Amino acid sequence: MPDGTDGPDLAGELPDLLRRAVRIPALRAKYAPLPATGPLRLTDLPVLTRQELARATEEVLASGTQAAASLVWADGGTVRAPALSLLPDDMFAERVRGAWSPLGPTDVLVNLHSCERLRPDHHFFNRFAAASGAACLPLGPLPDGAQDGWLDFFARTGVTALSAPPETVARLAGAAGAGRPLPWLRTLLLGGTLHDTTSDALLADRFPYTRVWRLYGSPATGVVAQHGPHCLAGLYHPLPHQLVEVVDGQVLVTTLDARRDPPLIRYATGELGEYAHCVCGTGGPALRLFGPADPYFRLHGRGVSARELVDSALATGEVTAAQVAVSGGRRVQLRVVLAAGVPDDHYTHDWIRYQVLESRLSLPSFVLDQPEVFDVVAVDRLDGAPLLAADEF
């Protein structure tokens, strides 16, 4: 909607979205003052925040009145205070496939996404393969120490396509660079409800015969936009059921599907972006993403709140101040000032790390087992931004 108009004709969708929204107590005061009749523009509606969506989702779950069979996912928060989201059981797979068709009946997809804590990507790619008529091998993460054996198994099984999170793609690219190419791999599916920014140049070098297709989204919105092999680097096209606005640099999403409950109306994703032009021939403006707005950052493609990590560290009672430092979107240091009398040793660091990570719902499960990805470092004092420091270490 770069020209400031309402974009698609929403004469039917907007009143229905509002009627469904006002039946939810947490959203009633937000939308009830709006006119029930007469012309209504999307831009007349207020922005929906993460906190408002989380409260509305809890109320829908408690009432048992969701519009369709749904699955519950987490877009952040803790076990005690989760930020939950409901998406239809089919994850809009048919709608995604209508605009993004990398698979067909002759394909065999191996799904290497983890069934990790309340993250939807493993389930989404299983459903997407089924909607495409393809066979699916829902393996999950490649076992450590047995990668070559599994890659041989995929070749013998007739695998033609692969979906995987960024950390697995990095492993496979490293193996290809070390002389373990994947000549059977025709199609690589990246992203999903995350943002995989693996370099196109690296992928072209390591997988020269593979076509790369990307998706972008979040656990709160589901898949929002798609990128095909002929798209310019870094550009995504909003899917037909996802209306995307960029307002003052902030990406807002409205889902035009009656099964989405609570209704998603001008939801603030926390992502920064701009409209752009793509040469692939897909109609409408494309979206260029710049990354999350503070205090969020990306870790292996997943959005994480630095504020939540700091609060979790302070809640241990062993920390008086904390700061998050991120290196390349792949490593995190939680820098802490220890309380008086707390010993500065690796046992304390490991205990703080465990307590912070164990309660989080938005961090990938593999982080718990890989100290080099998320490390706790004790310092005497903290300078600079209290929540998020872009750094190299």
Side-chain angles (χ1 to χ4, degrees), residues 275-295:
Y275 296 113
H277 174 72
C278 188
V279 299
C280 70
T282 300
L287 182 67
R288 178 180 287 112
L289 300 165
F290 297 129
D294 288 346

Side-chain angles (χ1 to χ4, degrees), residues 110 112 139-147 150-151 154 162 168 171-172:
V110 58
L112 300 182
L139 181 68
L142 281 174
D144 290 335
Q147 178 171 290
W150 279 101
L151 295 178
F154 298 157
L162 186 151
T168 301
R171 282 180 61 187
L172 295 174

